[in-house]
C-alpha cells in the first residue's frame, strides 16, 4: 500500500522549545503500534508559521491544523484522526485571524504529494545501458525512424521550435531557434555537439543520463544532424566521468554495429557519425566557444560572440551545441509531439527540469519535476525537508553562476525567468539547500574561490576582478573587513558583470550579489560586530564550555593543541589563546556542553 | 569507423519486432514466476557498493540455477542517498524497491523475495526515505 497520510510537525525553534521533537517521537511510536508506518509518514518541517500557538501539527492531505499540541494528545490524534477520520475539535484551529487565514490557505494550495515527471530521466534506472534492445523496447530509435521516413528536416526543426524546449545547460536559449539558425546556413559540413562538460559543483544530472540511458543521446544527436544537415557529431564529455565515457563509447560502438550510426542509417540516404572527445575538466570548457576551441585542439578559452557557433563554430562551420539533458528530451518530443510537450510546464518554460538536490536536505538525489513546481514542493515535498529540525535558510541554484533564494521565495514557481528575476538562474540544475548553520558570506567565498580557480585568464575583469573580490571576502571572513569593503565588493561585481568576455565571467559575481542582497545583515555582522552568526568563520567564533559540562575529560583528550584544562568532574575551560578553533572538542562532547559564540 | 556489417543492420521494419521481443524478455512474462532484478549501478551506486551486491546476486542465481530470474545493471534511479538500490519486478511488473543493500543482503533478497515470496521488510525504501 502506498502513502496515505502525512503528519507534519513544526520544527521551528519556538515549537522545538515547546516539545515538538517529543511529539514527533510519540507520533512515530503510536503509528508503529498501529502498524501504519508504511502508510503514514511523520515529517518534521521548517517553520509552519502560526507558531504563537505552537507546537503545530498539520495532518495531510486534509490539511487539518492542530495547535498547542501536547505529547499526551498524540495518542488521541492517532486513534481518532488517523484511524477514524474524526477531527479533534478541541485542538483544531477554529478562530483564526486574517493573517493566519492567509497562511493556512497557502498550505492548502501546496501539494505535498508532488509528482515527479520523468522525461529526460525516463529510462535511467529502468533499462540496461549496455543493451541496445532494451532501449528499443522503450520506444528507442522510433523517433529517428519517424523523422527519416515521415518528416523533412525543416519539419523537425519546426516541431522542436513548437515544443518551446529551452536549453537545459543554463542559459535557456530556445533549442528550436538554435537549430533553425544552423539549418539556414548552407555549408558542405555542419556539426552537432553534445555538451557533457558538467562542471557546476553539486550537479550530476548529465552524468546520470549518460550512464543510465546513453542511446537516447545518440538518437537525439542523429535527429539533430538530420534536422540541420550535419553528418558528424561530437560528444564532449569530461574525463572525470570515466564510467560515463565508458558507457557512451560502448553505446556508440553498438550503434555502429547495428547500423543506427554510420552511412545510410536504416538504409536511408541519411548518414551520421559520432565520436567522443574528452575534456580535462576545465570549468570554462562548458562555455560553447571554449568547448569548440578545446575540440579543435586549442587551449580552452572563450572568444567573442558573434559570430555565434550556429554561423561559424567548429572549424568555422555551422555548429549546434546542446546540453545532454536538452538532447534527452528530443526523442520524446518527436514521438509524442510538440503539442503534448507544451502542456507540461509554464507559459515560457515548457517541459521538465532535472535537479540534483543536495546539501542540508533529508532526501538528496536527482529529481525531475515539471517547470512551475514551487521550491517549497521540491524542498519540503520531494526533498523531505531540512534534517535535524533545523531552520531553512536558503537554496543555491545555478552553481557558481547562480544565486541564493531565501525563505521568501519558497512559493515561487521554478522556471527560467522567475529564477533570473530573483537574481539567480536555472543553471544546469544543481540545488544546494542551506540551513541556519551555513554562513552566507562563507558560501559566497566558496563559489568565488571556485571561479578564481577556474578563470581561464583571457579577459582582465574575470582574471583580476574575481581575485580582488575573493580577497575582500577573505578579509571579511577573517574579521578584518570594514563597511567600505561591502561597497567596493558591489562596485567590482557590477563592473565584472558588465565587462567580462564570456558568460562565466559575467555571472561569476552572482553568488556575492545575491547574498549581499538577501543576507546583508550577515555581512554587516562580520564587518561591524566581527561576529559570524552561523558560527562558521573560524576567526570570528570561539568555543566555550557551558555549565552542562560534567568534567569527563573527553574534550581535553581530543584537543590537538592541549588548550583545554580542568579537573575530573569539574567544569573544564578552553584557553582562547591556544585554541585553533578546529571544533574537535565540540564533536567529541557527549553532553552538548560546548557551544560556539 | 566502419563497424557494421549488412547482416547486423537494424531495419525500420525490424524495430517493432525487437521492441516486442525485448519487452517480453525484460518482463520475464514467458517464464513461470519470472523476476527481473535491477541493480542501480551508475557512479553513485558503484561508489556506495553496488558492485559486490550485483555480483553476489549473479552468483546466487547461477548457484541455485534460477532460470526464472534475470539480474541486470541499470543507471541511476535518483535516490542517491539510499544507494545501493536493488529493485525487483515480478512478471506483473509490480516493483519492490530495496535500498541500502549490502553484499550479504543479496542472499536474503533471493531467499525471501524470490524463493519464499516474502518481502524483506527492513530493506524497503519506505523504511528509509522521509
Amino acid at each position: 500500500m502506498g502513502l496515505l497520510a502525512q503528519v507534519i510537525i513544526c520544527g521551528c525553534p519556538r515549537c522545538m522549545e515547546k516539545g515538538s521533537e517529543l511529539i514527533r517521537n510519540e507520533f512515530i511510536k503510536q503509528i508503529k503500534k498501529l502498524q501504519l508506518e508504511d502508510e503514514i509518514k511523520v515529517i518534521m518541517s521548517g517553520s509552519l508559521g502560526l507558531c504563537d500557538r505552537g507546537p503545530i501539527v498539520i495532518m495531510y492531505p486534509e490539511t487539518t491544523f492542530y495547535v498547542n499540541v501536547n505529547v499526551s494528545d498524540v495518542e488521541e490524534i492517532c486513534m481518532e484522526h488517523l484511524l477514524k477520520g474524526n477531527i479533534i475539535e478541541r485542538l483544531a484551529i477554529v478562530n483564526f485571524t486574517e493573517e493566519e487565514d492567509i497562511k493556512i490557505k497557502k498550505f492548502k494550495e501546496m501539494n505535498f504529494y508532488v509528482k515527479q515527471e520523468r522525461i529526460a530521466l525516463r529510462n535511467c534506472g529502468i533499462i540496461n545501458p549496455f543493451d541496445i534492445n532494451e532501449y528499443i523496447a522503450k520506444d528507442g530509435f522510433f523517433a529517428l525512424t519517424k523523422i527519416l521516413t515521415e518528416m523533412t528536416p525543416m519539419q523537425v526543426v519546426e516541431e522542436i521550435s513548437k515544443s518551446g524546449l529551452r536549453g537545459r545547460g543554463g542559459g535557456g536559449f530556445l533549442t528550436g531557434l538554435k537549430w533553425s539558425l544552423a539549418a539556414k546556413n548552407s555549408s558542405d559540413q555542419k556539426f552537432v555537439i553534445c555538451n557533457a562538460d558538467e562542471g557546476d559543483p553539486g550537479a550530476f544530472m548529465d552524468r546520470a543520463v549518460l550512464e543510465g540511458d546513453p542511446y537516447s543521446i545518440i538518437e537525439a544527436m542523429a535527429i539533430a544532424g538530420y534536422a540541420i544537415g550535419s553528418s558528424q557529431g561530437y560528444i564532449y564529455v569530461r574525463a572525470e566521468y570515466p564510467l560515463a565515457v565508458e558507457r557512451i563509447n560502448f553505446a556508440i560502438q553498438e550503434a555502429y554495429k547495428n547500423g543506427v550510426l554510420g552511412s545510410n542509417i536504416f538504409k536511408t540516404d541519411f548518414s551520421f557519425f559520432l565520436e567522443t572527445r574528452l575534456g580535462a575538466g576545465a570549468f570554462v570548457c562548458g562555455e560553447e566557444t571554449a568547448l569548440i576551441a578545446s575540440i579543435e585542439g586549442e587551449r580552452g578559452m572563450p572568444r567573442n560572440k558573434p559570430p555565434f557557433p550556429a554561423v561559424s563554430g567548429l572549424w568555422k562551420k555551422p555548429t549546434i551545441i546542446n546540453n545532454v539533458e536538452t538532447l534527452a528530451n528530443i526523442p520524446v518530443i518527436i514521438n509524442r509531439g510538440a503539442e503534448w510537450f507544451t502542456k507540461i510546464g509554464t507559459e515560457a518554460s515548457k517541459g521538465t527540469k532535472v535537479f540534483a538536490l543536495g546539501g542540508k536536505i533529508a532526501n538528496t538525489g536527482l529529481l525531475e519535476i515539471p517547470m512551475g513546481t514551487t521550491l517549497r514542493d521540491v524542498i519540503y515535498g520531494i526533498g523531505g525537508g531540512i534534517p535535524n529540525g533545523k531552520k531553512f535558510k536558503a537554496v543555491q541554484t545555478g552553481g557558481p553562476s547562480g544565486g541564493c533564494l531565501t525563505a521568501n521565495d519558497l512559493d515561487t514557481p521554478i522556471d527560467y525567468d522567475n529564477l533570473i528575476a530573483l537574481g539567480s538562474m536555472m543553471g544546469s540544475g544543481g540545488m544546494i539547500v542551506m540551513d541556519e548553520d551555513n554562513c552566507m558570506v562563507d558560501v559566497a567565498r566558496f563559489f568565488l574561490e571556485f571561479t578564481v580557480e577556474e578563470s581561464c585568464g583571457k579577459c582582465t575583469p574575470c582574471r583580476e576582478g574575481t581575485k580582488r573580490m575573493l580577497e575582500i571576502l577573505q578579509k571579511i571572513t577573517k574579521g578584518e573587513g570594514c563597511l567600505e569593503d561591502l561597497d567596493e565588493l558591489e562596485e567590482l561585481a557590477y563592473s565584472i558583470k558588465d565587462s567580462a568576455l564570456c558568460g562565466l565571467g559575467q555571472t561569476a559575481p552572482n553568488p556575492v550579489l545575491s547574498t549581499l542582497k538577501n543576507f546583508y545583515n550577515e555581512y554587516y555582522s562580520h564587518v561591524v560586530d566581527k561576529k559570524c552568526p552561523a558560527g562558521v568563520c573560524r576567526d570570528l567564533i570561539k568555543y566555550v564550555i557551558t555549565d552542562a559540562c560534567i568534567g569527563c575529560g573527553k574534550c581535553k583528550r581530543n584537543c590537538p593543541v592541549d588548550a583545554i584544562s580542568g579537573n575530573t568532574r569539574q567544569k573544564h575551560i578552553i584557553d582562547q589563546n591556544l585554541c585553533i578553533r578546529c571544533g574537535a572538542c565540540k564533536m567529541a562532547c557527549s553532553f552538548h556542553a560546548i557551544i560556539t559564540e | 569507423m566502419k563497424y557494421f556489417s549488412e547482416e547486423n543492420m537494424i531495419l525500420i521494419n525490424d524495430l517493432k519486432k525487437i521492441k516486442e521481443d525485448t519487452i517480453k524478455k525484460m518482463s520475464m512474462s514467458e517464464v513461470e514466476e519470472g523476476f527481473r532484478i535491477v541493480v542501480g549501478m551508475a557512479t553513485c551506486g558503484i561508489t556506495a557498493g553496488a558492485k559486490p551486491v550485483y555480483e553476489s546476486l549473479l552468483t546466487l542465481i547461477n548457484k541455485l540455477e534460477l532460470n526464472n530470474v534475470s539480474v541486470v545493471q541499470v543507471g541511476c534511479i535518483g535516490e542517491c542517498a539510499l544507494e545501493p538500490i536493488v529493485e525487483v519486478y515480478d512478471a506483473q511488473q509490480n516493483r519492490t524497491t530495496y535500498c541500502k543493500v549490502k553484499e550479504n543482503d543479496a542472499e536474503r533478497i533471493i531467499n525471501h523475495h524470490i524463493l519464499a515470496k516474502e518481502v524483506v521488510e527492513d530493506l524497503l525504501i519506505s523504511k528509509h526515505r522521509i
Side-chain angles (χ1 to χ4, degrees), chain A residues 381-485:
Chain A
I382 303 170
I386 318 293
N388 308 323
K390 295 278 183 178
K391 210 176 136 204
F392 169 82
K393 190 189 245 177
V395 55
Q396 220 278 351
T397 65
S401 304
C404 289
L405 307 169
T406 65
N408 296 335
D409 308 323
L410 276 175
D411 294 306
T412 312
I414 301 169
D415 69 9
Y416 289 98
D417 310 302
N418 281 342
L419 288 186
I420 287 172
L422 291 173
S424 183
M425 69 185 283
M426 185 76 86
S428 60
M431 211 181 241
I432 301 166
V433 183
M434 287 170 277
D435 69 4
E436 51 195 301
D437 291 341
N438 289 96
C439 165
M440 300 316 285
V441 183
D442 189 61
V443 167
R445 188 192 54 83
F446 167 80
F447 280 110
L448 217 61
E449 213 167 63
F450 180 86
T451 327
V452 169
E453 185 97 334
E454 293 291 344
S455 172
C456 77
K458 187 168 179 175
C459 73
T460 320
C462 178
R463 184 185 66 232
E464 301 295 334
T466 55
K467 179 98 177 111
R468 293 289 92 79
M469 281 178 76
L470 178 62
E471 280 167 7
I472 297 175
L473 282 175
Q474 282 166 340
K475 217 171 112 188
I476 294 174
T477 53
K478 281 193 184 132
E480 295 160 3
C482 53
L483 271 176
E484 286 74 32
D485 284 336

Side-chain angles (χ1 to χ4, degrees), chain A residues 59-103:
Chain A
M59 315 298 285
Y60 259 85
E62 346 38 297
T63 341
T64 311
F65 272 68
Y66 287 133
V67 293
N68 298 326
V69 179
N70 222 309
V71 180
S72 53
D73 299 324
V74 172
E75 192 174 351
E76 190 185 348
I77 297 178
C78 289
M79 296 308 285
E80 287 298 317
H81 191 121
L82 290 175
L83 275 187
K84 299 180 195 155
N86 297 331
I87 289 174
I88 301 159
E89 307 281 344
R90 177 169 58 81
L91 297 169
I93 192 164
V94 264
N95 301 318
F96 35 76
T97 61
E98 206 170 299
E99 189 192 351
E100 286 171 341
D101 188 35
I102 295 169
K103 282 184 187 161

Side-chain angles (χ1 to χ4, degrees), chain B residues 52-95:
Chain B
V53 176
Y54 173 70
E55 277 155 11
S56 42
L57 281 170
L58 274 184
T59 322
L60 283 165
I61 303 283
N62 289 334
K63 204 172 87 189
L64 299 170
E65 293 175 6
L66 296 172
N67 298 325
N68 59 332
V69 184
S70 73
V71 179
V72 291
Q73 48 171 308
V74 297
C76 174
I77 273 159
E79 294 285 353
C80 307
L82 302 176
E83 301 272 9
I85 290 179
V86 173
E87 293 195 297
V88 185
Y89 294 84
D90 65 11
Q92 285 74 47
Q93 296 305 296
N94 295 315
R95 166 173 166 182

